[in-house]
Amino acid sequence: MSILYIVATPIGNLGDITHRALETFKQVDVIACEDTRHTLQLLTHFGIRKPLVSCRSQNEKTASAKIIELLGKGQSVAYASDAGTPALSDPGAVLVREVREAGYTVVPLPGASAFATLLSVCGSADKSVIFEGFLSPKPGRRRSRVRELMESGYASILYESPFRIVKLLADIAEIDNGRRVVVGRELTKLHEEIVYGTAQEVLDDFSERSKVLGEFSVFIGGKNT
């Protein structure tokens, strides 16, 4: 049956895979993925063998055409990004749009996302949260966007690499050092860490570390919280 399934996968802990995701991987004809090597490891762990098609940000348009061709032959396809929910700071949006415009059904399979995982432990009373994902690596653009987000009055969640996390925290503290911040490092993984405090407190914590490793999600509280 010609259906594209958008499948959320674990962001670290493989135990977070859903039963529905595994059953879908087993039942579809083809699995499209951001990185075939990464997804192959996931599938091998669960004893699943399927043909794989690369669909990453660099080739998403052409890969979408190939996937539509497979759907046109009556095949079913599942799509997974490397970790979390596709199209949330990951490839997938172009594929979904192209497949829908071609007239085929797209079915979402919910699951892990760093955004929802961090938000669940923030203790936030903010009713509105802006999901910004990764900011520009250019310092000027990054600082400008951080200021816009913080002055909007809404809470926000960002993603950042270990190479720029201290710089991002410094930008936040410079704008409002008393703003509430929660940093999730290596969420769901062996060395998971969640750091709470004011912008200045969290900056001081990470600035004092000899090494800063891992993948980061950052919650910035709203202006009046």
Side-chain angles (χ1 to χ4, degrees):
M1 190 173 181
S2 302
I3 296 176
L4 171 67
Y5 297 91
I6 301 299
V7 184
T9 55
I11 59 175
N13 190 322
L14 294 184
D16 292 335
I17 191 78
T18 68
H19 177 76
R20 186 181 175 201
L22 291 177
E23 288 303 306
T24 299
F25 284 147
K26 293 175 183 177
Q27 293 171 8
V28 295
D29 299 296
V30 176
I31 296 175
C33 46
E34 181 179 1
D35 186 325
T36 55
R37 296 165 298 181
H38 186 95
T39 301
L40 180 60
Q41 292 177 348
L42 174 68
L43 297 175
T44 300
H45 179 83
F46 291 104
I48 301 171
R49 294 176 62 88
K50 291 287 179 176
L52 301 179
V53 173
S54 170
C55 182
R56 56 193 191 280
S57 57
Q58 296 87 346
N59 75 340
E60 193 170 357
K61 187 78 172 180
T62 55
S64 297
K66 184 174 183 178
I67 291 167
I68 290 170
E69 183 179 342
L70 294 172
L71 294 170
K73 295 177 180 179
Q75 295 187 335
S76 56
V77 180
Y79 179 71
S81 53
D82 286 350
T85 302
L88 272 69
S89 286
D90 275 336
V94 173
L95 173 63
V96 168
R97 183 172 63 249
E98 296 285 322
V99 168
R100 283 197 183 281
E101 289 179 355
Y104 296 103
T105 300
V106 180
V107 175
L109 273 68
S113 77
F115 166 79
T117 301
L118 181 64
L119 189 58
S120 72
V121 293
C122 284
S124 171
D126 295 277
K127 292 184 177 180
S128 298
V129 180
I130 299 172
F131 173 63
E132 185 73 10
F134 287 97
L135 296 174
S136 171
K138 296 182 178 180
R141 291 185 180 180
R142 182 185 65 242
R143 283 193 293 269
S144 176
R145 184 54 180 157
V146 169
R147 184 175 294 279
E148 289 176 352
L149 291 169
M150 293 179 67
E151 291 181 350
S152 72
Y154 301 114
S156 57
I157 288 183
L158 314 174
Y159 292 163
E160 193 52 273
S161 75
F163 310 107
R164 290 188 295 272
I165 184 63
V166 174
K167 295 176 182 177
L168 172 62
L169 293 173
D171 291 339
I172 297 169
E174 181 181 347
I175 296 166
D176 182 353
N177 61 12
R179 188 73 64 95
R180 188 162 59 93
V181 170
V182 182
V183 174
R185 185 180 74 86
E186 293 288 89
L187 290 174
T188 80
K189 299 177 183 177
L190 180 63
H191 300 292
E192 176 183 86
E193 179 183 18
I194 301 172
V195 180
Y196 304 82
T198 65
Q200 189 63 53
E201 289 169 343
V202 176
L203 170 61
D204 291 343
D205 183 321
F206 282 95
S207 296
E208 293 169 0
R209 303 186 185 197
S210 58
K211 286 186 179 180
V212 179
L213 303 174
E215 296 179 347
F216 292 84
S217 301
V218 180
F219 170 87
I220 307 172
K223 202 169 185 178
N224 299 315
T225 60

